[in-house]
């Protein structure tokens, strides 16, 4: 551009009064939950402005603050982009800079919901058991100190302040891809509360609410060239745009803190969310069919040399693989929600994966595999084994993850593995002399694999690992067809 463009600015008047604090204000929530909530307010009213909280880095706050916390959501469809300016966020707090300000915001009587997108690892739990990891350094800190550092710590300490002030609790609304996520987060919060104050745990159990949710929208990472292209297109500089696909689905259990009556939640249904009594069938469908195949395609696609998911499913061998995975291994493993055409859902997923407007990198989806595998793939493997069904495709995907986690691809090039267990996984893999030893060492990581499942998977995983190393991704997958 020939001149520096003006900064993006608020267009719809002052920021709305806050009713929600959101922990983990990343791209996904800004492209998904914030958009739903803004639409719900526009259609049905209410004070549901959002105070965002960054638990680690000030970067999101620093990009949003100079533009009064507004940003552009850019929908990327096969036929081009559509732009929408989002103005629901009131401010962004950075927890390490001022934990007391975060606790004060969460303890404000106007705040009726605390929502979260902190990723699987942000809950400081054991993915294999779903329980709080009481040895996690952040949790050990939060048990001893009143100024927390973890997401569970902020939830418990803020609820403690509300109890002391005679206020009702807030509803804890997790929006992360975890099975039965409401129950899981409730258990983590209660585990930590019992360590701090058993009476607090009893109060949370009696008065608190933790509705489960299912969230679905593909949101690729925003790159510097995306920022530049948007400024060129609009003539305004937005330092924090988000990109997303056209599709979205939010299924929420309608179970919010009753003390707030009709003001307990935004009118999410007015914005197209589905309010249900039980979200579990939707969770299984999405976690297994979308997230399970996303992770499978990420590891196999990366090892096959593909940069994005769209490129991966454009590969005929991998396209055949994912369709067979749905048909033979994933769809038989669960009961779909009433009224859902599950094969039509699979066809729609494939179209979403193939959308050329979404450049969702295999490397990005591959992050934090140790936290994702139990929910996305291992649960399906366990259910198939119990039913006597074989799962050669999913086993091959786990073997691909094992090779990926070892830090070297099939050509011998190093992989930049981003995972909370990355160092441990690489050390285990490097320390084993052969394929059988590497598979056994990684199956021994009880944070990921329970002992019974590990033992039953060992022979097939060893074979799949050896095939991938010897024959590559394409020949290995062609042999499964």
């Amino acid at each position: 551009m020939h001149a520096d463009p003006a900064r993006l600015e608020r267009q719809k008047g002052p920021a709305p009064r806050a009713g929600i604090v959101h922990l983990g204000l990343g791209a996904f929530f800004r492209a998904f939950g914030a958009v739903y909530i803004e639409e719900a307010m526009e259609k049905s009213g209410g004070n549901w402005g959002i105070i965002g909280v960054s638990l680690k880095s000030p970067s999101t706050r620093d990009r949003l603050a100079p533009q009064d916390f507004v940003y552009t959501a850019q929908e990327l469809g096969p036929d081009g982009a559509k732009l929408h300016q989002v103005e629901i966020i009131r401010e962004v707090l950075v927890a390490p800079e001022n934990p007391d300000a975060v606790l004060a915001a969460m303890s404000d009587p106007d705040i009726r919901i605390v929502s979260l997108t902190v990723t699987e690892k942000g809950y400081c739990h054991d993915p294999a058991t779903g329980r709080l990891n009481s040895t996690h350094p952040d949790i050990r800190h939060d048990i001893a100190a009143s100024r927390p550092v973890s997401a569970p710590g902020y939830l418990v300490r803020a609820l403690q302040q509300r109890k002391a002030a005679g206020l009702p609790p807030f509803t804890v609304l997790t929006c992360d891809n975890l099975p039965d996520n409401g129950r899981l987060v409730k258990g983590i919060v209660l585990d930590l509360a019992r360590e701090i104050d058993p009476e607090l745990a009893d109060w949370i159990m009696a008065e608190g609410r933790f509705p489960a949710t299912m969230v679905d929208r593909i949101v690729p990472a925003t790159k510097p060239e995306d920022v530049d292209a948007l400024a060129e297109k609009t003539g305004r500089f937005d330092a924090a745009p988000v990109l997303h696909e056209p599709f979205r689905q939010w299924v929420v259990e309608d179970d919010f803190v009753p003390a707030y009556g009709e003001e307990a939640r935004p009118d999410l249904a007015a914005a197209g969310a589905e309010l249900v009594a039980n979200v579990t069938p939707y969770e299984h469908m999405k976690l297994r069919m979308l997230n399970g195949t996303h992770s499978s395609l990420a590891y196999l696609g990366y090892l096959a040399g593909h940069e994005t998911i769209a490129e991966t499913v454009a590969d005929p061998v991998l396209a055949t693989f994912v369709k067979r995975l749905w048909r033979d291994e994933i769809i038989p493993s669960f009961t779909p929600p009433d009224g859902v055409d599950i094969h039509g859902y699979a066809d729609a997923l494939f179209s979403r994966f193939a959308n050329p407007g979404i450049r969702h990198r295999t490397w990005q989806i591959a992050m934090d595999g140790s936290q994702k595998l139990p929910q996305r793939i291992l649960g399906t493997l366990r259910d198939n084994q119990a039913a006597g069904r074989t799962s050669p495709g999913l086993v091959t995907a786990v073997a691909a993850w094992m090779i990926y986690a070892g830090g070297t691809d099939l050509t011998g090039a190093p992989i930049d593995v981003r995972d909370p267990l990355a160092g441990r996984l690489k050390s285990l893999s490097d320390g084993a002399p052969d394929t059988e030893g590497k598979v056994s060492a990684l199956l021994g990581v009880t944070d990921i694999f329970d002992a019974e499942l590990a033992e039953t998977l060992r022979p097939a995983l060893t074979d799949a690992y050896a095939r991938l190393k010897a024959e590559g991704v394409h020949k290995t997958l062609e042999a499964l067809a």
Side-chain angles (χ1 to χ4, degrees):
M1 300 183 69
H2 298 294
D4 291 337
R7 194 67 177 255
L8 196 69
E9 59 186 19
R10 196 172 287 275
Q11 301 291 324
K12 302 174 186 176
R17 186 172 170 184
I20 297 172
V21 169
H22 183 82
L23 305 182
L25 193 70
F28 177 79
F29 184 79
R30 292 194 292 118
F32 181 80
V35 176
Y36 268 104
I37 292 163
E38 183 170 77
E39 289 180 14
M41 271 189 63
E42 289 172 350
K43 293 182 178 181
S44 295
N47 296 312
W48 294 107
I50 298 167
I51 297 173
V53 176
S54 293
L55 291 168
K56 300 293 184 184
S57 164
S59 59
T60 298
R61 187 269 318 274
D62 292 349
R63 291 196 301 270
L64 284 170
Q67 54 200 53
D68 201 14
F69 305 104
V70 303
Y71 60 92
T72 306
Q74 183 167 334
E75 178 183 299
L76 301 175
D79 300 324
K82 298 178 182 177
L83 306 181
H84 168 64
Q85 185 163 309
V86 182
E87 303 197 0
I88 191 73
I89 294 174
R90 185 175 181 86
E91 63 177 317
V92 178
L93 304 174
V94 180
E97 292 180 0
N98 194 343
D100 289 333
V102 175
L103 290 173
M106 296 170 72
S107 302
D108 189 303
D110 287 342
I111 299 300
R112 288 145 285 161
I113 295 172
V114 173
S115 52
L116 302 90
T117 45
V118 296
T119 75
E120 293 90 345
K121 64 185 176 183
Y123 292 95
C124 304
H125 72 305
D126 178 352
T129 66
R131 299 301 299 272
L132 180 74
N133 179 4
S134 58
T135 65
H136 191 291
D138 288 354
I139 297 301
R140 289 169 62 188
H141 171 279
D142 290 352
I143 291 171
S146 60
R147 290 184 175 89
V149 294
S150 72
Y154 273 100
L155 292 173
V156 171
R157 291 298 183 179
L159 287 166
Q160 185 180 42
Q161 289 190 8
R162 293 179 81 101
K163 179 176 182 289
L167 296 171
F170 43 71
T171 295
V172 177
L173 187 67
T174 172
C175 301
D176 281 300
N177 284 314
L178 297 159
D180 201 4
N181 56 10
R183 178 201 57 79
L184 180 81
V185 176
K186 180 178 181 180
I188 291 167
V189 167
L190 291 174
D191 284 347
L192 180 54
R194 287 190 191 101
E195 294 280 352
I196 294 170
D197 177 359
E199 288 188 7
L200 173 63
D202 292 342
W203 178 77
I204 295 171
M205 172 71 83
E207 305 294 334
R209 295 293 187 273
F210 297 78
T213 68
M214 187 276 276
V215 299
D216 191 0
R217 170 165 268 180
I218 295 172
V219 179
T222 303
K223 303 181 293 298
E225 53 265 38
D226 299 320
V227 174
D228 294 341
L230 183 63
E232 184 73 36
K233 179 186 296 185
T234 65
R236 291 275 182 172
F237 177 66
D238 180 353
V242 291
L243 315 177
H244 61 79
E245 66 170 333
F247 179 89
R248 67 178 189 179
Q249 185 180 23
W250 197 2
V251 185
V252 183
E253 288 181 351
D254 197 5
D255 183 25
F256 290 72
V257 171
Y260 298 110
E262 294 182 356
E263 298 298 317
R265 61 164 173 78
D267 185 4
L268 296 172
E274 299 169 65
L275 294 161
V276 301
N278 179 16
V279 81
T280 300
Y282 296 90
E283 284 181 343
H284 282 170
M285 179 177 73
K286 191 259 180 171
L287 274 168
R288 295 184 178 198
M289 292 191 68
L290 188 150
N291 298 116
T293 53
H294 233 185
S295 288
S296 299
L297 290 168
Y299 296 114
L300 289 162
Y302 184 95
L303 293 179
H306 296 306
E307 184 182 0
T308 69
I309 292 295
E311 291 172 13
T312 301
V313 297
D315 181 326
V317 173
L318 281 137
T320 299
F321 164 76
V322 73
K323 291 175 181 179
R324 193 201 67 78
L325 200 63
W326 281 323
R327 184 188 69 232
D328 296 343
E329 301 183 27
I330 295 177
I331 289 175
S333 76
F334 69 97
T335 301
D338 290 342
V340 171
D341 173 4
I342 201 66
H343 296 285
Y345 181 77
D347 291 342
L349 278 180
F350 190 86
S351 296
R352 293 169 62 194
F353 288 168
N355 178 357
I358 295 289
R359 292 190 54 78
H360 208 177
R361 296 173 65 198
T362 52
W363 177 80
Q364 180 193 2
I365 300 163
M367 291 179 182
D368 302 330
S370 68
Q371 312 295 296
K372 295 175 178 176
L373 284 184
Q375 299 83 245
R376 298 185 174 198
I377 296 177
L378 301 186
T380 309
L381 281 169
R382 189 178 295 106
D383 288 349
N384 281 346
Q385 286 191 347
R389 291 186 295 268
T390 59
S391 307
L394 290 173
V395 167
T396 302
V398 176
W401 168 78
M402 288 183 162
I403 294 170
Y404 184 95
T408 306
D409 70 15
L410 297 178
T411 71
I415 302 172
D416 178 12
V417 179
R418 302 291 178 91
D419 190 290
L421 302 184
R424 180 179 167 194
L425 297 172
K426 180 170 174 52
S427 178
L428 287 168
S429 182
D430 288 348
D434 53 23
T435 292
E436 186 174 355
K438 292 179 189 297
V439 171
S440 293
L442 292 171
L443 283 173
V445 180
T446 57
D447 309 57
I448 307 170
F449 300 96
D450 67 67
E452 182 179 355
L453 180 65
E455 193 56 38
T456 56
L457 287 177
R458 189 184 315 275
L461 262 178
T462 302
D463 181 64
Y465 190 110
R467 281 177 175 269
L468 285 168
K469 292 287 282 188
E471 300 178 7
V473 170
H474 287 92
K475 287 187 177 180
T476 299
L477 297 184
E478 286 172 339
L480 299 179

